Amino acid sequence: MPQQKDIVRIAIQMTGVYPQLIQLDQKKPLSAVIKEVCDGWTLPGPENYALQYTDGVQTYITESNRQDIKNGCILRLTKAPGRCAEELFKGIQSTEPGARCDSLKELAGISKDVTFAQEFISRDGHLLLVKIVEDSKESNVIMTHTLTAFMALMDHGIVSWENLSVVFIKKIASFVNSAPFDASIQQVSLDILESMVLSSYSLFTQVKQEVTIKRLIDHLHVTNQQIQTKAMALLMALLQTAADSDKQEMLKLLNDKSFRQYICKDIIHSSGSVQDEMAHYLYVLQSVTLNQLEPRMKTPLDFYNQEQRDALHKLRDSAFDVESENLSHERRRSLCAKEFKKLGFSNNSNPGQDLGRAPPGLLALDTMYYFATQYTEAFKRFVLENSSREDKHECPFARSSIQLTLILCEILRIGEQPSETGSDYHTIFFNQDKLLEELFCVCIQLLNKTWKEMRATQEDFDKVMQVVREQITRTLSSKPTSLEFFKNKVNALNYSEILKLRQTERLHQEETLAPPVLELKERLKPELLDLIRQQRLNRLCQGTMFRKIGSRRRQDKLWFCRLSPNHKMLHYGDVDEDAENPPIETLQEKIPVADIKGLLMGKDCPHMKENKGKQNKEVLDLAFSITNDVEHSLNFIAPSRTDFCLWTDGLSVLLGREMSSEAMRSELEILLSMEIKLRLLDLENIPIPDSAPAVPKPPSNYNFCYDFSQTEQ
């Protein structure tokens, strides 16, 4: 008795009779099932019949694929694949052109089925098709069906492409080379040649001899999109299979400015959108071309290489117009070191060490040198502007350039082999010579602009690079069509816009959270805000060293301020420069927290009003005051933005107000995210310790320690 799970309820059709509804027992041999169906219609010779799907690719049902049959499927009783193959084999040899055409047309459709293909090929049917092509006596319609059937048969991999004759290859190539010619024949012929090229290097060589790159490029100029796509497919197959010497020659033709402009104008822009298949080939062309930069990217600078050393010194000479020929060796060496430091090299005595990291390797030197020679004024302005800033606020050109080059390599996927499904090409690539170098020249100036907008210091380097990466990726995702378009858009996407976009995306992400998660988040907020408040008060109890701003805008005096442990008194007083953390007893002045009436910030502070017009924006952003009555105030200039946030938040807590600094919002978001992730972990039956685990003993040596100084993370 068959089990219920082995029974499938299906319908079986056949032309001229009523369908049968049967319960197919999957355990019963297929031949027995077919016999029962034939008996239902009183058909003799069940061995001459087979079951076939009616929808989509009308595949034959076999013992290997019968498990795919689902309840409700509609199958058709049709000729067995062997019988069908025999009839079509005879039909394509008929003396009647109409009979041959009908047989080849049917063959082109049914050859997609592997079961039929095996039967037809076992009768050497594919060789019959090869002969029809070699003789070339048939009409264009018959030839199209012949080539389509041949391609479908070969796709199954039953017969090797290398068994094909030279005459056949030349004939297929002649169909492609002929102009004008039947579009349907050319389309299938291009498909066949692509498969040949991808199957072996020997066939690649033969095809390359028979079909020129220029002829394939001509096919891209036709209006037939299928011909364009198949021609591009063959071009990419030739390009990917070619040896390095052949590849360089092909890329020279494919990267010709007129060809790339044609791609932009007639393939990308004219259609408005590119078909998925063509998009993939454009992506491959972009990838293979950009990967020509990979050797430079993976080669570190060799300081013993005279050519590379000269390029490095030419970079220095482009920035500084200083005559050093009449100086002594030591004086010249000292001057070079100073200039390399101004250029932003970490190792100013041996700047080659900065370029020892690969990637980006020599590519970083190439991009810097390109910027210095092609945009000399912008390069000099960058270096001069930053060498005149305070040390902690200067944007290091060399260090930034090395990291920016690496970021561009990652965004453009230089060094990555093109994937089989990739389609993410950049239209700007086909519209711009030296894309990497030109993007670098735009983005290094963007980096300097963003550095100033963020009022960054050396400690903020990684943060600035993250913002610049985001500016570039967001702009490229909008598919700019030209460098000018990219330049305008990326410069409009300033730091404040990035912050707004991040906030919008974060809010949108929150809106998409499940209601229980949002509810959990709201329940956690008060507890985490209390944690932040306590941290702020503890920080005020530790105290901070502040500087006073003198009348000549010079920071000339130090004073220290701290909150008493009971949070009732602020103690402060002048201290010596070498005093790190003076005891609370040594601070002569104090102000009761209960007497504090207000907290002022920025330009509203009394000491900023007194020096109105004399303070720069950096000082304004660090200034805050507490007032105890109309005439008296305690004025602060925080040593850093972090200290400003900690103190203004802490004082707000003491005054019973809400904390409002950006640091508080950031910390709250981090804590909420971490706490929610922990709460959502599946921790069933996992014991959580009440106390932290013991810190292990220090290791016997630190030889495993990695030096991050040479790597930008």
Side-chain angles (χ1 to χ4, degrees):
M1 189 74 181
Q3 295 184 12
Q4 191 66 28
K5 64 179 182 179
D6 297 325
I7 300 298
V8 182
R9 294 171 176 81
I10 60 172
I12 299 180
Q13 297 177 338
M14 186 177 178
T15 306
V17 295
Y18 287 107
Q20 294 186 41
L21 299 176
I22 69 167
Q23 293 187 356
L24 173 64
D25 182 0
Q26 291 286 30
K27 295 295 184 183
K28 187 182 290 188
L30 200 57
S31 57
V33 174
I34 292 171
K35 185 178 184 308
E36 289 179 4
V37 173
C38 288
D39 290 345
W41 282 318
T42 63
L43 296 173
E47 67 276 3
N48 292 321
Y49 292 94
L51 293 174
Q52 194 179 49
Y53 285 108
T54 57
D55 298 326
V57 179
Q58 297 171 6
T59 311
Y60 278 104
I61 305 298
T62 64
E63 292 292 352
S64 60
N65 67 15
R66 64 182 293 175
Q67 295 301 324
D68 296 334
I69 301 174
K70 306 297 181 187
N71 278 316
C73 271
I74 301 175
L75 305 182
R76 176 171 50 232
L77 187 69
T78 187
K79 298 173 189 174
R83 177 185 166 193
C84 186
E86 186 64 33
E87 290 181 2
L88 291 177
F89 184 77
K90 292 177 181 177
I92 61 179
Q93 298 179 77
S94 171
T95 56
E96 291 293 327
R100 289 200 306 276
C101 185
D102 291 342
S103 296
L104 285 164
K105 183 179 180 180
E106 185 180 348
L107 179 65
I110 201 170
S111 292
K112 296 174 184 177
D113 183 274
V114 65
T115 308
F116 170 84
Q118 289 170 336
E119 293 287 346
F120 191 77
I121 289 172
S122 69
R123 292 165 171 76
D124 289 335
H126 63 295
L127 297 180
L128 194 56
L129 299 180
V130 169
K131 189 174 185 308
I132 293 173
V133 173
E134 290 178 348
D135 292 344
S136 290
K137 296 177 181 177
E138 300 290 359
S139 66
N140 287 347
V141 174
I142 289 180
M143 188 59 70
T144 300
H145 294 324
T146 303
L147 293 173
T148 304
F150 176 80
M151 186 66 209
L153 291 169
M154 295 300 289
D155 269 347
H156 298 297
I158 301 168
V159 181
S160 172
W161 286 94
E162 295 193 62
N163 295 334
L164 297 173
S165 67
V166 175
V167 176
F168 178 83
I169 296 171
K170 285 181 177 290
K171 184 58 68 174
I172 296 295
S174 71
F175 294 154
V176 172
N177 289 330
S178 299
F181 199 65
D182 185 88
S184 299
I185 293 178
Q186 284 191 331
Q187 183 178 321
V188 187
S189 298
L190 287 164
D191 222 356
I192 292 171
L193 291 176
E194 180 196 0
S195 296
M196 288 183 189
V197 168
L198 294 174
S199 67
S200 76
Y201 189 75
S202 60
L203 284 174
F204 157 78
T205 307
Q206 292 183 59
V207 172
K208 186 174 179 295
Q209 289 173 348
E210 298 298 329
V211 182
T212 65
I213 302 299
K214 288 183 178 179
R215 181 66 191 120
L216 291 177
I217 291 175
D218 289 340
H219 280 300
L220 296 176
H221 290 264
V222 301
T223 55
N224 187 315
Q225 284 192 354
Q226 289 299 318
I227 294 287
Q228 285 182 340
T229 303
K230 297 299 180 185
M232 182 64 86
L234 180 53
L235 273 170
M236 293 305 101
L238 288 165
L239 186 61
Q240 290 180 280
T241 312
D244 287 341
S245 56
D246 291 328
K247 190 174 289 186
Q248 293 293 339
E249 180 186 343
M250 292 175 66
L251 283 173
K252 189 175 181 181
L253 288 169
L254 294 175
N255 282 317
D256 177 72
K257 189 171 183 178
S258 59
F259 171 71
R260 286 191 286 106
Q261 286 179 342
Y262 163 73
I263 291 285
C264 267
K265 181 181 176 183
D266 290 1
I267 292 184
I268 297 175
H269 290 166
S270 63
S271 59
S273 62
V274 176
Q275 294 177 342
D276 290 344
E277 200 175 352
M278 178 61 85
H280 170 68
Y281 298 131
L282 294 176
Y283 153 79
V284 172
L285 176 57
Q286 171 188 287
S287 180
V288 174
T289 304
L290 290 174
N291 278 350
Q292 299 304 298
L293 299 170
E294 185 179 5
R296 297 287 288 179
M297 183 185 76
K298 292 189 173 179
T299 305
L301 184 136
D302 178 8
F303 208 67
Y304 294 102
N305 183 302
Q306 186 63 44
E307 183 182 350
Q308 295 174 18
R309 229 170 47 236
D310 288 346
L312 199 55
H313 283 286
K314 284 178 182 176
L315 183 69
R316 178 182 61 84
D317 292 340
S318 299
F320 306 104
D321 301 323
V322 179
E323 294 291 337
S324 58
E325 295 178 1
N326 299 325
L327 300 176
S328 65
H329 175 72
E330 286 300 321
R331 181 77 182 98
R332 189 185 302 117
R333 187 175 178 181
S334 173
L335 181 62
C336 286
K338 287 181 181 178
E339 290 175 344
F340 277 124
K341 183 179 180 181
K342 287 181 179 180
L343 271 174
F345 285 93
S346 302
N347 192 324
N348 54 330
S349 59
N350 185 8
Q353 288 190 2
D354 288 36
L355 295 161
R357 179 167 53 121
L362 291 174
L363 204 53
L365 178 60
D366 295 341
T367 53
M368 285 191 283
Y369 188 69
Y370 185 88
F371 181 51
T373 53
Q374 300 299 315
Y375 298 88
T376 307
E377 289 305 314
F379 168 65
K380 287 183 176 180
R381 188 164 57 250
F382 187 115
V383 176
L384 181 63
E385 181 181 311
N386 285 286
S387 59
S388 62
R389 290 182 192 169
E390 295 180 41
D391 283 348
K392 67 175 183 177
H393 286 288
E394 65 180 4
C395 177
F397 172 74
R399 184 186 178 195
S400 301
S401 297
I402 293 167
Q403 189 64 11
L404 177 60
T405 304
L406 181 60
I407 287 172
L408 288 172
C409 287
E410 290 171 353
I411 291 173
L412 297 175
R413 294 175 182 166
I414 297 173
E416 292 182 25
Q417 291 304 309
S419 71
E420 294 181 1
T421 57
S423 59
D424 187 19
Y425 68 91
H426 298 291
T427 306
I428 191 175
F429 167 79
F430 299 97
N431 218 4
Q432 181 61 53
D433 291 326
K434 294 187 176 294
L435 178 65
L436 175 72
E437 292 87 343
E438 290 292 342
L439 282 180
F440 173 85
C441 293
V442 172
C443 294
I444 192 65
Q445 295 176 78
L446 167 74
L447 192 153
N448 189 40
K449 172 174 167 283
T450 303
W451 185 282
K452 290 185 287 186
E453 288 171 354
M454 295 176 67
R455 297 187 293 278
T457 64
Q458 295 291 330
E459 290 76 19
D460 300 316
F461 182 83
D462 289 341
K463 184 179 177 183
V464 175
M465 298 312 298
Q466 288 172 3
V467 173
V468 170
R469 178 191 285 271
E470 189 173 341
Q471 289 170 316
I472 297 169
T473 51
R474 284 183 182 275
T475 305
L476 285 176
S477 67
S478 67
K479 301 291 183 184
T481 54
S482 67
L483 188 70
E484 192 63 29
F485 190 158
F486 173 83
K487 182 179 178 180
N488 292 337
K489 195 150 190 173
V490 80
N491 280 298
L493 194 62
N494 54 37
Y495 180 53
S496 61
E497 285 296 318
I498 289 289
L499 292 178
K500 289 178 185 176
L501 287 169
R502 286 177 177 176
Q503 178 67 12
T504 303
E505 288 167 1
R506 187 159 52 244
L507 291 172
H508 177 70
Q509 189 177 13
E510 288 179 358
E511 288 172 2
T512 58
L513 290 173
V517 177
L518 288 172
E519 184 181 341
L520 175 61
K521 196 171 183 179
E522 289 303 315
R523 281 170 48 196
L524 290 171
K525 267 186 183 179
E527 180 184 341
L528 296 177
L529 281 169
D530 283 342
L531 187 66
I532 295 172
R533 290 188 192 99
Q534 191 58 49
Q535 186 269 342
R536 296 298 195 260
L537 294 175
N538 290 342
R539 185 66 183 81
L540 265 60
C541 290
Q542 291 174 14
T544 302
M545 187 85 71
F546 296 94
R547 288 185 179 272
K548 293 182 179 179
I549 302 295
S551 59
R552 291 171 300 188
R553 298 178 64 188
R554 295 182 60 86
Q555 297 175 343
D556 49 7
K557 289 184 180 180
L558 293 173
W559 64 290
F560 196 86
C561 186
R562 70 192 307 169
L563 179 66
S564 63
N566 61 9
H567 301 169
K568 292 186 177 180
M569 200 74 68
L570 273 178
H571 297 263
Y572 63 97
D574 293 345
V575 293
D576 296 329
E577 197 159 342
D578 55 354
E580 291 186 4
N581 194 11
I584 199 167
E585 298 81 12
T586 62
L587 302 175
Q588 306 88 351
E589 305 290 339
K590 60 184 177 180
I591 178 173
V593 171
D595 290 350
I596 300 175
K597 303 301 181 186
L599 172 64
L600 304 174
M601 289 179 271
K603 61 183 180 181
D604 295 329
C605 298
H607 57 316
M608 293 296 104
K609 290 180 178 178
E610 292 169 5
N611 297 292
K612 191 174 182 180
K614 298 181 180 180
Q615 305 295 351
N616 59 38
K617 191 169 190 318
E618 181 188 353
V619 174
L620 279 171
D621 287 342
L622 299 176
F624 63 97
S625 303
I626 54 175
T627 58
N628 57 353
D629 55 44
V630 178
E631 297 180 359
H632 293 88
S633 63
L634 187 60
N635 302 317
F636 300 76
I637 299 290
S640 68
R641 187 68 186 174
T642 301
D643 287 301
F644 174 86
C645 293
L646 290 171
W647 272 84
T648 52
D649 282 345
L651 291 169
S652 295
V653 172
L654 291 173
L655 293 172
R657 300 177 183 175
E658 293 293 327
M659 297 179 290
S660 59
S661 74
E662 66 267 20
M664 181 278 297
R665 291 192 293 272
S666 174
E667 289 167 22
L668 178 62
E669 192 62 39
I670 292 169
L671 290 170
L672 275 171
S673 175
M674 182 174 63
E675 191 68 26
I676 287 173
K677 287 174 183 176
L678 287 171
R679 296 288 182 99
L680 296 178
L681 282 176
D682 185 8
L683 297 177
E684 189 175 352
N685 299 323
I686 299 176
I688 301 175
D690 295 327
S691 57
V695 178
K697 293 180 180 179
S700 58
N701 63 68
Y702 293 90
N703 295 339
F704 60 85
C705 182
Y706 183 75
D707 182 8
F708 280 94
S709 63
Q710 299 300 318
T711 306
E712 296 296 343
Q713 293 299 319

